[in-house]
Amino acid sequence: MRRSFLKPLLFLSLAASLGATSACSSDGDGVVLFSIEDDKALGDKVAAQTDSTYRAKGQLLERNSASNQRAYQLLDGVVNRVLNSGQVTYRNEFPWDVKIIKDDNVQNAFASPGGHIYVFTGLIKFLDNESQLAGVLGHEIAHADRRHTSKQLQEQYGISVLLSLVLGENPGQLAQIAAGLRGLQFSRTAEAEADQYSVMYLNGTGYYACDGTAGFFIKAQQQGQANPPEFLSTHPNPDNRIQAIQTKAQELGCANRTVSNANFDELKRLL
């Protein structure tokens, strides 16, 4: 019953997206999207598949495990400061959760549609301070909040395929999309926008040095080209990217905040 009820609604959403721009949702770079509700439903499906994949590998740190609760408490503190900055457009519409993947060899983070954020232990351990962590998480939150992830998937697969996944069809396609999410290639425009919004989010916290993302990129560059962090291979890094972040931070006057690293250092020890 539920399936037969949802299907016409979802394809009405598709028709609206394709044919009636006055009823469409358009964010960021202006690509027309399916509805916010479809965005959330797709994100839930992709996140469930992603959880299942990493759980099967024994790499997903479960929130309901007593041994992980303190780590999640510390990480949630960072995420919630960013989400509550007053700058996140879909703060109340998306579910917004963050999950840790245990792999010290991977320095990466990624976001699904609808605000499901994943961060690898290798990235957290690579970073030097909490502002850098907040900056990278802010960058991923921006990809979800500006709907870059949905737009990129729409360009690759088409709206009809994505809506079929929401309906529970094409499980093989769902697995493929979930597997590729961590390496999703965004345009330079989308990356630059995520960088800028990360600065604005961190500024809105009134707490973090808002050029934290630039600090991460600077350290990553210093590691040399032999073994660059995965984040750099999946996120194009034009020469002026660090400068753009720092310029925005100087414009907002929020680059020199000093934050205690006690919680961040504890988080790294726990992982």
Side-chain angles (χ1 to χ4, degrees), residues 97-116:
D97 58 17
V98 60
K99 294 168 187 174
I100 304 170
I101 300 171
K102 181 67 175 177
D103 191 334
D104 290 352
N105 296 317
V106 175
Q107 296 162 341
N108 201 13
F110 62 91
S112 81
H116 302 280

Side-chain angles (χ1 to χ4, degrees), residues 83-101:
L83 290 175
N84 294 330
S85 64
Q87 302 297 314
V88 179
T89 302
Y90 297 109
R91 173 66 180 97
N92 297 321
E93 286 82 2
F94 289 166
W96 297 116
D97 58 17
V98 60
K99 294 168 187 174
I100 304 170
I101 300 171

